[in-house]
Amino acid sequence: MTDTAARLLLLLSLLQSRPEWAGPDLAERLGVNVRTVRRDIDRLRELGYPVDATKGPGAAYRLGAGADLPPLLFDGDQAVAVALALQLAPQTVTGSREAAARALTTIRQVMPAGLRHKIDTMQVTSVTNSWEFLAPPVDATALDAVSDAVRRKEVLQFDYAAAEAAAGDAWAPPLRVEPHHLLVWSGRWYLVAWDLDADEWRTFRVDRITPRMRTGLRFSPRTPPAADLAEYVRSQADRGDTADAWECYGEAVLETSASLVARWAPGGAIVEELGPKRCRLTLGAWSWIGLAALFGTFEADFEVIGPPELIDACAELAQRYKAAGSAIRETT
């Protein structure tokens, strides 16, 4: 490859990396003068890449959008990142496996031999421990409808499979929300939205959302409930699978704040605020002893509500810790 061709590839990669570049900045990155940058920009235009430029001494360049835009250019690191993302996508979004596989095949075909070998040796499989649950997959159609409503700033109407429905409510009216932001935490997709009926901010699990027909109603964005929306989602009580998905589950009242418990409780925790420094925690685990130990990790007094197996496990665990403490004193 000639120096000019290599420089054009680098220039194209730089233009794709951010919305706009000043001419002197491009010249510095390419190791040439501004006049050479202008010539290279003209060469890219001749190849069919629509590069827009502002006029004057402070000229800036940006890669325009258009139906005739040639295929995007990926450097080695970008290609590997895209390939890994395509392998992981079907694990969280149902209905995307075939499309992701076709996209990966397309990218692989145009890779140099060295990169192709690297991708072939990086086969990714997600594995969980026996006491963990995979994040429930999200339907691709539902995710597309929700993300489209966020982008359009359009009121979203949907049915929601919430915990109260699982408890026996045969029917619940559809929810109407102003969708603000989509984010992924711990492998789960969440929607932060303003509930128009409850008149408050809420967080919804996207895997529980079944969108209805588009409303066509636009809204003006509100001030978000927090500057850090990731932290806001982490502070919510219902973040994981339902507690009864575990082999053992129980509940206790803890003498500490619900916000602290909601932040650090493992997936599946259900937290109910009972006061400024008091909350009810429903939790699941792989064994009764394991469950008893989890309740003790919050460094707070607690009262077990049930079931009896959890009460017995707490008593057994107390004896084990007492014996362990006595053994340590005897050896010191």
Side-chain angles (χ1 to χ4, degrees), residues 206-293:
V206 179
D207 60 282
R208 296 176 176 173
I209 289 177
T210 303
R212 293 203 173 193
M213 291 184 62
R214 283 183 52 184
T215 65
L217 302 174
R218 299 299 178 89
F219 64 87
S220 298
R222 301 173 186 264
T223 302
D228 186 345
L229 288 179
E231 179 62 31
Y232 174 76
V233 168
R234 281 195 295 267
S235 69
Q236 304 304 298
D238 183 15
R239 305 177 310 178
D241 302 287
T242 56
D244 59 1
W246 298 97
E247 184 175 346
C248 305
Y249 66 99
E251 59 180 317
V253 173
L254 280 67
E255 301 300 327
T256 190
S257 66
S259 60
L260 183 147
V261 173
R263 178 174 183 177
W264 298 111
I270 300 174
V271 185
E272 179 185 355
E273 185 175 7
L274 301 179
K277 292 290 184 179
R278 202 162 186 262
C279 65
R280 178 185 288 108
L281 172 62
T282 303
L283 193 60
W286 56 95
S287 70
W288 293 113
I289 292 295
L291 182 58

Side-chain angles (χ1 to χ4, degrees), residues 116-123:
R116 191 182 306 126
H117 175 72
K118 187 173 184 179
I119 291 299
D120 290 344
T121 59
M122 297 178 71
Q123 299 299 318

Side-chain angles (χ1 to χ4, degrees), residues 33-53:
N33 57 41
V34 175
R35 181 177 297 179
T36 300
V37 170
R38 288 198 294 267
R39 287 200 298 265
D40 287 346
I41 292 292
D42 289 337
R43 291 189 179 100
L44 287 180
R45 288 169 176 159
E46 291 172 1
L47 293 172
Y49 290 90
V51 182
D52 301 326

Side-chain angles (χ1 to χ4, degrees), residues 302-321:
F302 64 93
E303 176 188 356
V304 175
I305 305 302
E309 291 88 347
L310 178 57
I311 298 175
D312 294 340
C314 287
E316 182 179 344
L317 192 60
Q319 292 299 319
R320 290 186 182 182
Y321 283 141

